[in-house]
Amino acid sequence: MGKEKSEAIQPQAGMAGSGITSIASILGGAKSFHKKIENRLDLVELIDQGLPKASLLSLAKYLHFSMKQMADVLPITERTIQRYANDKPFTAVVSDHILQIAEVSAKGTEVFGDKDKFVLWMNQPCASACGSSLIYT
């Protein structure tokens, strides 16, 4: 019995790496970053440097969000987003918010087992939000 219990609480091999890979992929991967993301420290460096607009576009596409919806959940206006070139980096604050949304998206996709199911759930009315969707649009 002790052996079964210890096996049950062991983390799955590769779990952390696959999460980082999923997050990087949602944000456009090496195409957006011009480097491979291998660990959490690489993500922290990206935040400090600022994520490029291409990463936000990739995240919006992944979630089927418009730029207005993205601006509603970020500390930046839609008009300011429009002014950015695809390779221009956002501030660290905006980049951190983008990363957090990507992390939730990766985890949500993992939990639901399917991206489309997660996106559908995100757009369902939420009783605790007075019938609004989880993204409050």
Side-chain angles (χ1 to χ4, degrees), residues 1-10:
M1 184 154 155
K3 185 178 178 184
E4 289 173 17
K5 191 173 188 179
S6 67
E7 286 177 12
I9 60 171
Q10 295 298 319

Side-chain angles (χ1 to χ4, degrees), residues 114-130:
D114 180 74
K115 177 188 89 161
D116 292 330
K117 288 178 184 175
F118 169 67
V119 171
L120 180 64
W121 175 79
M122 286 278 296
N123 287 295
Q124 293 296 313
C126 179
S128 64
C130 300

Side-chain angles (χ1 to χ4, degrees), residues 2 9 16 30 33 40 42 47 52-53 55 87 105 112 116 125 134:
I9 60 171
F33 313 134
R40 194 135 210 43
D42 291 340
I47 299 309
K53 181 180 177 182
S55 290
D87 60 346
S105 299
F112 282 89
D116 292 330
L134 292 172

Side-chain angles (χ1 to χ4, degrees), residues 2-80:
K3 185 178 178 184
E4 289 173 17
K5 191 173 188 179
S6 67
E7 286 177 12
I9 60 171
Q10 295 298 319
Q12 294 179 345
M15 197 70 157
S18 65
I20 298 295
T21 303
S22 297
I23 294 165
S25 176
I26 290 169
L27 294 173
K31 189 169 84 175
S32 289
F33 313 134
H34 308 293
K35 71 181 248 179
K36 186 175 181 184
I37 304 301
E38 297 178 347
N39 55 50
R40 194 135 210 43
L41 267 143
D42 291 340
L43 288 172
V44 171
E45 280 181 31
L46 280 176
I47 299 309
D48 290 342
Q49 296 167 2
L51 288 171
K53 181 180 177 182
S55 290
L56 176 61
L57 295 174
S58 180
L59 175 61
K61 183 177 179 181
Y62 183 85
L63 294 172
H64 306 284
F65 279 17
S66 67
M67 273 306 113
K68 176 170 181 358
Q69 288 173 303
M70 292 307 303
D72 287 345
V73 296
L74 293 170
I76 190 170
T77 66
E78 181 181 12
R79 182 68 183 125
T80 302

